[in-house]
Amino acid sequence: MKRKVILGIDGGTASTVCICMSLTPFDQPLPDPLPILARAVAGCSNHNSVGESAARETLENVMADALAKSRSTRASVQAVCLSASGVDHPKDQHHILTWLREIFPMHVRLFVENDAVAALSSGTMGKLHGCVLIAGTGTIAYGFTEDGREARAAGAGPVLGDWGSAYGISAQALTAVIRANDGRGLQTTLTQNILDKLNLSSPDELIGWTYSDPSWARIAALLPIVVSCADAGDLAAINILFDAVHELASSVKAVVARLELCGEDGKDPFPLVMVGGVLEANKRWDIGSEVINCISKDFPGVLPIRPKVEPAVGAALLAWSSLMRQCHQEASTS
């Protein structure tokens, strides 16, 4: 019998990952380890960053690569879950679903979600309940209840509010350097460290460097410098990281409160899946732990989860669980 597979795609701002996983029977628990057949990686597929044409080409290539590595074909695919940054409205979902339908046969079930959904699924193993906080190049908090309600906070991009992300932290660091050079802000070791990293000779050159290519990932890559300067006691860097902790915690608390994930008294337990390089422990600074401490003051039931699988696997698990629910619903009505 020809093997059936599902595809899970995590389309982030920095890179795109596609997982090809064997479809297991729905009357059996998922095996451990998961039946992952192949993994493929490509560049950015956020249409807001690179444009629709480039995003589509990236997604087509990464799916084709994963299928080729697993020695599978499009005809063997049973479900696809594309979880991508930049999918923020129903019109985004509809547009991408229409495009995916042009690629895959009619029997393939298609699901399109924001990348936060796959990140949540990676921590809950396919169950959509709780909250996820992503803090990488960008940031978003996204929550789901068991009855299907959902809410989000932040995730509006670098202009409208990715504060607390690697981009937001690094952009504040660049601003601190400019302010210090002008005499409007604290003198900071960020200045020399950033100039050395970028091979620049003066803060004035930062203006040209920033606007010559203001890509999110390029600026976000300065995050380790900010953390190192904070570790060394630089007050400007420390203030930036404390601001980031406050912003990230506020996003989660807004989602939890709107969905009442914590119950009426604010003390019920709820899972918080934490994903992204900003939330990983770095030297003496552990932004993730600081965020949890801040959240637990208001919501002591928070249960932090560090996923054991990547978001692309979460997308594949989401495709598997969605396909299972649809099959059960069809069987019950037939």
Side-chain angles (χ1 to χ4, degrees):
M1 181 181 294
K2 197 170 184 178
R3 181 176 58 198
K4 297 180 179 180
V5 301
I6 55 179
L7 295 179
I9 305 104
D10 173 43
T13 302
S15 64
T16 302
V17 179
C18 180
I19 292 293
C20 182
M21 191 169 82
S22 179
L23 180 62
T24 57
F26 297 135
D27 58 354
Q28 300 176 13
L30 281 168
D32 186 12
L34 294 170
I36 295 173
L37 304 174
R39 179 181 188 270
V41 183
C44 174
S45 58
N46 184 326
H47 63 89
N48 293 325
S49 300
V50 299
E52 182 178 336
S53 178
R56 178 168 175 165
E57 181 179 1
T58 296
L59 289 167
E60 287 183 357
N61 289 340
V62 78
M63 289 188 293
D65 190 16
L67 287 173
K69 287 181 176 179
S70 66
R71 298 183 180 181
S72 304
T73 65
R74 291 179 182 177
S76 63
V77 177
Q78 301 301 300
V80 177
C81 178
L82 170 57
S83 192
S85 60
V87 177
D88 299 315
H89 302 285
K91 66 179 182 180
D92 296 323
Q93 290 178 306
H94 177 75
H95 186 69
I96 296 174
L97 282 169
T98 300
W99 161 65
L100 286 174
R101 182 51 66 200
E102 296 173 2
I103 298 176
F104 290 98
M106 287 302 297
H107 74 272
V108 180
R109 306 293 178 90
L110 303 174
F111 309 95
V112 176
E113 302 286 354
N114 184 275
D115 61 337
V117 181
L120 175 60
S121 177
S122 71
T124 59
M125 299 304 286
K127 183 179 180 182
L128 289 186
H129 170 67
C131 185
V132 60
L133 173 64
I134 300 177
T137 301
T139 182
I140 189 172
Y142 216 115
F144 285 86
T145 62
E146 292 182 341
D147 61 2
R149 291 180 295 118
E150 60 187 88
R152 59 176 284 172
V159 176
L160 298 177
D162 262 347
W163 313 123
S165 68
Y167 174 91
I169 291 170
S170 300
Q172 283 185 275
L174 292 173
T175 301
V177 172
I178 296 299
R179 289 176 61 85
N181 187 55
D182 290 345
R184 296 181 293 125
L186 294 170
Q187 292 301 306
T188 171
T189 58
L190 287 167
T191 300
Q192 196 58 52
N193 280 279
I194 289 177
L195 293 179
D196 289 346
K197 174 69 175 178
L198 302 179
N199 294 317
L200 301 177
S201 58
S202 75
D204 292 332
E205 295 180 30
L206 274 178
I207 299 173
W209 178 87
T210 300
Y211 293 110
S212 65
D213 177 14
S215 67
W216 307 351
R218 178 171 173 259
I219 292 175
L222 298 174
L223 172 67
I225 295 176
V226 186
V227 176
S228 294
C229 288
D231 276 337
D234 184 89
L235 186 57
I238 290 172
N239 287 340
I240 289 171
L241 294 188
F242 273 125
D243 283 346
V245 168
H246 173 75
E247 290 290 346
L248 295 172
S250 295
S251 295
V252 172
K253 288 191 282 189
V255 169
V256 172
R258 284 161 61 190
L259 294 178
E260 296 185 334
L261 290 173
C262 53
E264 293 182 0
D265 62 359
K267 297 181 180 179
D268 286 1
F270 65 92
L272 173 62
V273 179
M274 305 181 70
V275 177
V278 172
L279 301 174
E280 296 174 359
N282 193 323
K283 299 183 179 180
R284 286 182 298 171
W285 260 93
D286 187 342
I287 296 177
S289 293
E290 293 291 338
V291 170
I292 291 299
N293 290 338
C294 189
I295 294 170
S296 63
K297 292 176 183 178
D298 293 313
F299 304 120
V302 59
L303 302 173
I305 297 174
R306 305 278 185 168
K308 296 180 181 179
V309 299
E310 63 182 322
V313 176
L317 291 171
L318 198 57
W320 184 88
S321 59
S322 298
L323 186 60
M324 178 183 66
R325 284 196 303 272
Q326 286 194 1
C327 289
H328 286 169
Q329 289 172 357
E330 291 173 0
S332 64
T333 55
S334 61

